[in-house]
Amino acid sequence: MKTKVLTANRLSDGISVWLGANGEWVFSLKDAFVARHDDAVAAITAAGDQALADNRVVDVNVIEIEETPAGLRPFRLRERIRADGPTIDYAPVSAAQASQAA
């Protein structure tokens, strides 16, 4: 079995989060609980289902990762982007620009 973690997006603001060992959602993949066997995967899946039902998170996914000397690394590009942050910087829109766009 491959090593897995649970990821989601926080419902309040869409920030990518991972399920930590204490059952709380954390902001860094390095702090995620690592499931190394089927029972652990079942436990994080159940925790994700409950958090989704409680409207705490959306887009809940168990993802495969590899443990490298540099730390945890998702296999899929989508999840690497989620773990490392957006590919571009967010730029705040001024009120003048927003009104012109409307």
Side-chain angles (χ1 to χ4, degrees), residues 18-33:
W18 289 264
L19 187 65
N22 65 355
E24 295 296 319
W25 294 97
V26 297
F27 301 107
S28 175
L29 175 60
K30 70 179 175 137
D31 297 325
F33 173 76

Side-chain angles (χ1 to χ4, degrees), residues 13-70:
D13 57 11
I15 297 292
S16 295
V17 291
W18 289 264
L19 187 65
N22 65 355
E24 295 296 319
W25 294 97
V26 297
F27 301 107
S28 175
L29 175 60
K30 70 179 175 137
D31 297 325
F33 173 76
V34 179
R36 295 182 179 93
H37 54 81
D38 291 337
D39 290 340
V41 172
I44 64 173
T45 300
D49 291 345
Q50 186 61 55
L52 180 64
D54 292 343
N55 292 319
R56 294 180 60 207
V57 294
V58 295
D59 194 23
V60 179
N61 292 291
V62 174
I63 64 164
E64 293 181 347
I65 60 162
E66 61 182 333
E67 296 179 83
T68 71

Side-chain angles (χ1 to χ4, degrees), residues 67-81:
E67 296 179 83
T68 71
L72 304 177
R73 183 176 184 270
F75 279 102
R76 292 181 52 212
L77 177 60
R78 175 185 188 257
E79 303 308 332
R80 278 187 244 142
I81 292 170

